[in-house]
Every structure is written in structure tokens, then in C-alpha cells.
Amino acid sequence: MLNQPAAKYRPSATVDLPDRQWPSRRITAAPVWMSTDLRDGNQSLIEPMSIAQKLRFFQMLVQIGFKEIEVAFPSASDTEFQFVRELIEGGHIPDDVTIEVLTQAREDLIRRTIESVEGARSVIVHLYNPVSPSFRRIVFGKSRAEILALASAGTQLIRELTDARPATQWRYEYSPETFSMAELDFSLEVCDAVSDIWCAGRDSETDIIINLPATVEVSTPNVYADQIEWMHRHLKRRAQTVLSVHPHNDRGTGIAAAELALMAGADRVEGCLFGNGERTGNVDIVTLALNLYTQGISPQLDFSDIDAVRAVVEDINRIPVHPRHPYAGDLVHTAFSGSHQDAIRKGFAQQQSGQIWEVPYLPIDPQDIGRSYDAVIRVNSQSGKGGMSYLLEQAYGIRLPRRMQIALSREVQQLADASGAEVSAQTVFQVFEKVYLQTPTHLAYQAHQVLDHRTSPSDAAQLSLRTDLLLHGQPRAVIAAGSGFHDACQHMLNNLGFNVQSAQWSVMPDKHQHGKVYVIAEIHTGHGYACGVAHHQDAEVAAISAVFAAVSAQIPQREIQAAA
């Protein structure tokens, strides 16, 4: 790092707004929410979603209560285009939900985008182009006038194409991308120009969505709030404008920026569940919504089963939600400190039904988001799990999921209580081995074969998985297809009749036996959560064996018997 970073970096510009009003305002109602999980979030994934995964995610967003969902960048790939067609032709879009599609300001991409939504009831067409000086100079080599002409021409074409299709209810959204780094007067000029084109000749009720992205978060949240308030005051058609924000999290203050932007006049927020998105992510809509909830404001989104939402997001995105993530993390309602435990217990003792919630260290009642009080009020029995997990990881390389830590710590604690002796890493491993590394006799792996069905190296992996197993000693073979080995494994379990809603696993090399791995699998079924462990030199064998162990631990014997 430089001793004098000012020689390389410059501070962001501030806004001359001495009479700013937002610092004294409060948020009193939920904004319009727009989920961009299926577009911005999807673009950030190492393995982009398949059509089936996108549909599952879309249906969950609808169930949560989103009324505006950005579903695709249809001109980006055939998968994106076909997903939009599936939504429309398959009748998956409720009447009260509007889908949104994104396009760059290029004629061929705009036409392809409009083609993708033919026949939809209600659509937002979202056009964007960068406007900041660095992007104008470095990326595009265009002047302000040329950037303005680009935005205007794109808007005009979208107006013509949508006017020619009156059966669809069309709305228009424009984003001056890189707004957070642009001159305010130029952003205003471009936004007013596209507004003139879209609203010209229409009735006074016609609205336009002007979305002001912190494409790259470059300033403290108060500066972004100043930018939003300045635009809020100066937009030509403010009464007809839905003022939207799209904060990113490059500086780690995306939540604060979004909240201050709402205080500054914004009406709408775009973001992703749990903050997924490019680089450090889009703003986290779950946290924003539950922040409102803890202030007595209905967020108009339903997170009453936060763990179920998290399970789907983790399963599809393949990105775990951090244990300390606000509201949704495994550890956020658990105290390890003795003083914290005492305060929480006293708070529960005094809390009466129907009263204002006032339990120390708990800003939200865990039950409101589908959590039990077990992890909170049984904190003394949890006190050793951090050390137990540390010993297991350091000595054996085994990293336990949080729920397994809790379960195993109970077993270790019983042993420690009985012996009164110090628990070593070897003892912890022996308990782990006894509890989790016993091969189930009623559902056991025998062999498997994977066949790759890609037609070209650039295609997504499409494969079939044949698995030979024993069900109560009887041989059985099951075949399942999927977009990858993980997807095929989940289909395999469901083909066996076990109704697995999500399955994921982690692979860890054995520190003591070179070439072998541990696989810890976690599954969610209609019966809840379960985990299983396997140890083998082949990671695929271990993965299948681990999910079988998890099924055996979770699903009643009679159902496994029925599957046979």
C-alpha cells in the first residue's frame, strides 16, 4: 500500500446542497421493490442458472410478494431469451406481477428484447447506457452529445416498437449507468431527454422509471443521498417519474446508501436477496425489508420463513449466506457471552405477548421470521461448540456446518460432563466418527456412472447419472439427468421419491490420509434439515454416499422402505 494514496486515488466529488432535507426525514412506508436476482444476480454466478432454476427462483420471488421482477437480459443468450418465453407461454406470471427485461442501447439488442416479451400482459423495458466521464472517455470514446444521442435513439426505438404492440401494458425504465460517478447536470440532461421522448403525446398519468444506479459505490452514503435529492428536485417530470435506486456495495455501505436515498426522495429500490450481485453485490433487499419491519413498517414482503428462502437461494446460487448475515445468518440470534446470555434470558422473562418487542440484543423476534428460540435460550449448552469446531478443523480439516456444530457439541458436551476431563481433538473426532461416519445399512451406495451430454465444449454441462444402491439390502438402479453433477444428484434423490427440496455439500481433503476427502452434505426435505458425512478417495462417491447418509438421518424408515 502507498504511504501517500492521494498520489494515485482522488476523493469522490460532493454535492453543493446546503439546504438538503433528507437528514431530518424518516422512512414511513415501504418502497416499490424490484428484484434483480434473475438478471444482475444471475450474471454474477460462476454457474449461471438453468431455465428450471430460474423458474424456481421466480416462483419463490412471487411467493415472497415481489410485484416487479427483472427476469432476464434476453439478448445476452438463448437461455435468457427462452426463459422469458417459458414464463409467458407457460402462464407462470400472475396478473399482479410485472416482468422487466434489460437491454443496452443498440438497435439489434432492443429488437431482440422486445421480441422476447411478445404476448406478455405487463412489461417494463429497461434501457441503460453509461454516462460518467471515465466511461465516456475510456470505454466508449464518446462525447456528452454522443452519449445523449445514444440514449435518445434507444428510447425512441423502444417507444416505436412498444406503440406498435398495444396489447401489452408497457412501462419504460431508463438507467444512466455509472450515475454515482457522473456529473449531475449531465445525468439530468439525459434523463429529461428520454423522459421527453417516452412521455410525449401521452396523458399526464403516464409514468417513467428513472433508475439512478450506484453502479460502483464510490462515496459515503450521504453523498449518494445528496445526488438523489438533487435529482428529485430537478427532474422535469418528477410527478410522472418513479425515482428508483440501484445501489451496489463496493464500499460496504449499500444498505445505508439505499436507506438514505429513500429519505432523499427515492420511490423504488432494486436489489437482490441477501445481497448477491456483481463484485461485492447489489443491495440486500432482505436486510432492507427487515430493517423496515423492526421500525414498525410493513415491508410488503413475506420473510416469515427466512430459512426456507435462504435454502433456495443458497441451493441455486451456490453461495452460502454468512453465519453473521443480518437476520438470516445461523448465528445472529445466538449469544456466546455470559453477560449477553443473562440479558437475553431476563428479557424473555419480562416480555409479554402483545407488548412492544424489547429483548436485549435481539432487534427482531426470531419467531416472526420462522426461527425458534432454541439457539437463543439454550446458549449455555452451545458455549463449547466454537472450541469443538476449531479443534476438529485444525486437526482434521473438517469444517462443520453450523447446525452440525450444534448437534455434535451436544454429544461432546455429554462426554465431557461424564468424564470431567479435557476434551482433545482426537476425542472430538471419535465422537464425530461414531455419530456421522457409520454407513447406513438401509440405504447404501454401490456404484455410479456419469455420462456427459454436451454437444460442444461451450455448452453447459448436461449429464445423466446412473446410481446403483442397496435399499434394505435389495439392489436398485436409478437414473437422473441434470445441468451438472450436483443437479443430477438432487434429481436422483427425488426420483427415488424422497422429495428433497435442496441439497448441497462441501468437500474437504483429509489431513491424515492423502488422497481421501470428507464430504458433508446438507439437505432440506419436507421433514426439515438433515446432514450426512462420507469419507472416500473419490469425491463423487463421497458426495452420493453423504447425501444418502443425510436422507437416512432425516426421512423415516417407513418412507425409505416404501421407496424400495
Side-chain angles (χ1 to χ4, degrees):
M1 296 179 67
L2 302 175
N3 290 329
Q4 298 294 332
K8 186 173 183 178
Y9 302 98
R10 58 175 176 265
S12 59
T14 58
V15 180
D16 183 17
L17 197 68
D19 60 339
R20 57 182 60 83
Q21 301 298 306
W22 63 261
S24 60
R25 292 177 180 153
R26 295 177 67 101
I27 302 172
T28 59
V32 176
W33 302 108
M34 204 287 290
S35 164
T36 187
D37 289 271
L38 300 177
R39 199 277 304 168
D40 206 335
N42 187 46
Q43 287 179 200
S44 72
L45 301 179
I46 296 173
E47 298 179 28
M49 302 177 201
S50 65
I51 290 177
Q53 288 172 322
K54 291 192 78 168
L55 180 58
R56 180 183 173 203
F57 209 127
F58 176 84
Q59 291 169 336
M60 180 186 67
L61 292 170
V62 169
Q63 186 175 12
I64 290 169
F66 284 94
K67 302 304 179 186
E68 295 182 4
I69 302 172
E70 190 172 47
V71 295
F73 198 145
S75 62
S77 71
D78 187 60
T79 298
E80 293 286 279
F81 186 94
Q82 293 303 327
F83 173 63
V84 180
R85 296 312 309 159
E86 170 60 29
L87 285 178
I88 297 168
E89 295 170 3
H92 300 294
I93 308 170
D95 288 344
D96 62 346
V97 172
T98 298
I99 61 170
E100 178 173 311
V101 285
L102 182 72
T103 180
Q104 294 169 304
R106 275 176 39 191
E107 180 177 351
D108 58 327
L109 304 184
I110 290 171
R111 291 185 181 278
R112 178 69 168 166
T113 301
I114 298 299
E115 180 187 353
S116 75
V117 293
E118 288 278 1
R121 184 194 60 81
S122 178
V123 177
I124 298 170
V125 183
H126 183 184
L127 180 79
Y128 76 97
N129 64 287
V131 298
S132 65
S134 59
F135 274 71
R136 297 197 307 261
R137 184 183 74 256
I138 298 170
V139 181
F140 295 99
K142 292 184 180 294
S143 66
R144 283 173 55 147
E146 289 172 316
I147 292 294
L148 175 61
L150 185 69
S152 298
T155 305
Q156 182 62 47
L157 178 58
I158 291 172
R159 171 81 191 258
E160 293 170 2
L161 293 173
T162 55
D163 282 353
R165 295 164 172 80
T168 296
Q169 178 183 338
W170 299 100
R171 298 179 68 201
Y172 179 58
E173 175 176 347
Y174 174 71
S175 289
E177 194 194 9
T178 66
F179 164 81
S180 52
M181 302 186 294
E183 312 95 327
L184 284 171
D185 67 313
F186 184 52
S187 294
L188 179 67
E189 182 182 2
V190 177
C191 289
D192 281 346
V194 300
S195 180
D196 285 343
I197 294 168
W198 181 255
C199 296
R202 302 185 191 267
D203 62 61
S204 60
E205 298 300 316
T206 299
D207 67 13
I208 181 172
I209 302 169
I210 295 295
N211 184 55
L212 304 176
T215 307
V216 180
E217 189 181 36
V218 295
S219 66
T220 50
N222 61 297
V223 175
Y224 186 55
D226 281 349
Q227 292 173 320
I228 300 303
E229 182 167 335
W230 192 94
M231 292 291 286
H232 168 66
R233 294 187 190 185
H234 290 88
L235 283 167
K236 181 190 295 186
R237 290 183 173 82
R238 181 61 186 95
Q240 292 172 259
T241 299
V242 176
L243 186 56
S244 177
V245 292
H246 183 115
H248 278 250
N249 198 43
D250 300 85
R251 292 170 56 93
T253 56
I255 293 288
E259 291 180 328
L260 297 191
L262 290 173
M263 293 160 60
D267 309 304
R268 180 177 183 265
V269 175
E270 299 188 349
C272 292
L273 299 183
F274 306 113
N276 184 38
E278 297 286 358
R279 304 184 311 281
T280 55
N282 289 30
V283 72
D284 175 4
I285 286 185
V286 175
T287 300
L288 274 174
L290 293 177
N291 281 356
L292 291 179
Y293 185 83
T294 64
Q295 302 300 301
I297 301 167
S298 172
Q300 305 299 312
L301 295 175
D302 182 6
F303 293 114
S304 58
D305 191 351
I306 194 72
D307 286 337
V309 173
R310 190 183 72 175
V312 172
V313 173
E314 287 183 326
D315 185 52
I316 293 176
N317 287 350
R318 312 286 171 82
I319 299 174
V321 172
H322 194 279
R324 298 291 184 187
H325 193 99
Y327 303 109
D330 273 335
L331 289 179
V332 296
H333 301 135
T334 304
F336 298 98
S337 161
S339 61
H340 289 203
Q341 295 170 8
D342 181 62
I344 292 171
R345 288 179 180 277
K346 289 176 179 176
F348 275 126
Q350 296 183 30
Q351 185 70 34
Q352 300 294 319
S353 178
Q355 287 184 340
I356 293 295
W357 179 255
E358 200 174 14
V359 175
Y361 297 110
L362 295 178
I364 193 171
D365 183 347
Q367 287 192 337
D368 287 356
I369 52 176
R371 292 284 183 83
S372 73
Y373 292 144
D374 289 349
V376 178
I377 63 176
R378 297 180 63 183
V379 287
N380 285 335
S381 66
Q382 310 288 318
S383 299
K385 77 173 182 292
M388 177 271 296
S389 302
Y390 177 82
L391 290 177
L392 202 57
E393 181 171 355
Q394 292 299 306
Y396 295 91
I398 299 171
R399 298 180 303 278
L400 299 181
R402 186 59 51 182
R403 294 179 180 89
M404 279 185 71
Q405 291 181 28
I406 294 170
L408 188 62
S409 70
R410 295 192 184 110
E411 300 288 336
V412 174
Q413 187 67 50
Q414 289 179 8
L415 181 65
D417 289 342
S419 67
E422 181 181 357
V423 177
S424 66
Q426 183 180 9
T427 300
V428 173
F429 178 77
Q430 289 170 349
V431 176
F432 170 78
E433 190 175 40
K434 177 182 178 182
V435 174
Y436 291 110
L437 282 176
Q438 303 303 312
T439 303
T441 57
H442 46 279
L443 179 60
Y445 168 91
Q446 293 292 290
H448 79 283
Q449 183 180 21
V450 175
L451 298 176
D452 194 330
H453 292 315
R454 283 183 290 188
T455 57
S456 71
S458 62
D459 287 348
Q462 294 292 323
L463 54 81
S464 64
L465 170 67
R466 175 193 167 98
T467 306
D468 296 300
L469 58 136
L470 292 178
L471 277 174
H472 290 284
Q474 299 300 312
R476 179 161 176 187
V478 60
I479 297 175
S483 58
F485 180 73
H486 177 280
D487 193 37
C489 279
Q490 184 165 330
H491 286 304
M492 177 264 291
L493 294 173
N494 287 328
N495 288 350
L496 282 167
F498 295 136
N499 187 28
V500 174
Q501 298 163 11
S502 67
Q504 54 189 334
W505 59 75
S506 53
V507 181
M508 291 153 278
D510 186 333
K511 284 190 172 184
H512 296 278
Q513 296 188 52
H514 181 70
K516 285 196 171 185
V517 296
Y518 291 100
V519 172
I520 297 180
E522 298 174 87
I523 65 169
H524 287 265
T525 72
H527 301 283
Y529 165 90
C531 59
V533 183
H535 185 226
H536 202 272
Q537 64 267 21
D538 186 298
E540 289 185 352
V541 172
I544 297 172
S545 300
V547 296
F548 280 178
V551 167
S552 298
Q554 175 66 66
I555 296 178
Q557 295 287 317
R558 62 181 180 276
E559 293 189 26
I560 293 180
Q561 181 68 48

